Amino acid sequence: MKRLALMAMAMLTVLTMSAQNGKTCNQQKCDKMSEKDCEKECCKKTRSAAFLYEKDLQWEDAEPGVKRQIMGYDGQLMVVKVKFEKGAVGKAHTHYHTQATYVASGKFEVTIGGEKKVLEAGDGYYVAPDVLHGAVCLEAGVLIDTFSPMRADFLGKK
């Protein structure tokens, strides 16, 4: 049992170091390559590129009337732009991630833990892990969501 616990701790240390390095491969090999070559030939990255241009990023359908664009991430943080059409609903849900959101434009009725507030451009909100939350778009707009740790489930839907 003790040996199994030590093995688990060693694996956790390797995974943590990989997330901190942003790479899940041989660091020395990657350091000798360009970022593109490393990604293509060697590694599965756990982070986005350093520079991301809106025109080059795909929009994903999240829910009817809601699209999202991943703006940057690593294992510890993710920033996502979420575009809502008027009347679109971000269904009430929970996740274990900490979330902080900035209202870039539009008007939203946001519910967090049963409390409802109307937020407009310039406002923001915080959602603790595992708290039920959702939003209704009152005027078309954009939210900038940040998550810690990153939302790995978003990466699987590309």
Side-chain angles (χ1 to χ4, degrees):
M1 189 62 127
K2 189 174 184 180
R3 184 176 176 194
L4 184 60
L6 288 172
M7 287 174 57
M9 286 175 51
M11 288 176 64
L12 182 60
T13 300
V14 169
L15 289 172
T16 301
M17 288 173 60
S18 294
Q20 289 170 349
N21 291 335
K23 299 176 182 177
T24 58
C25 62
N26 182 320
Q27 186 69 41
Q28 291 176 341
K29 185 175 181 181
C30 277
D31 287 344
K32 296 175 186 174
M33 299 179 168
S34 71
E35 185 173 337
K36 282 187 179 182
D37 287 342
C38 179
E39 179 182 359
K40 187 170 140 184
E41 296 179 25
C42 178
C43 300
K44 283 188 161 188
K45 295 189 320 179
T46 57
R47 62 175 170 78
S48 64
F51 298 96
L52 301 162
Y53 299 93
E54 180 182 40
K55 65 183 174 81
D56 297 332
L57 300 174
Q58 292 183 332
W59 285 94
E60 302 172 3
D61 291 325
E63 298 183 58
V66 182
K67 294 183 182 288
R68 71 175 161 239
Q69 191 177 47
I70 297 171
M71 301 304 298
Y73 65 93
D74 69 9
Q76 303 306 307
L77 177 70
M78 178 177 270
V79 177
V80 180
K81 185 179 348 177
V82 188
K83 188 185 325 184
F84 284 76
E85 297 174 3
K86 182 178 181 176
V89 176
K91 294 178 191 166
H93 63 284
T94 63
H95 45 72
Y96 68 88
H97 311 83
T98 297
Q99 177 178 341
T101 298
Y102 173 74
V103 181
S105 64
K107 190 174 193 178
F108 297 84
E109 180 183 72
V110 179
T111 304
I112 302 170
E115 184 177 1
K116 287 185 185 183
K117 298 285 183 181
V118 175
L119 302 175
E120 300 178 350
D123 296 335
Y125 60 91
Y126 165 81
V127 182
D130 302 314
V131 173
L132 185 65
H133 61 285
V136 176
C137 183
L138 304 175
E139 294 176 9
V142 173
L143 300 177
I144 306 298
D145 288 338
T146 59
F147 300 98
S148 179
M150 74 172 198
R151 294 287 304 262
D153 55 322
F154 285 7
L155 297 178
K157 296 181 179 182
K158 276 190 169 181

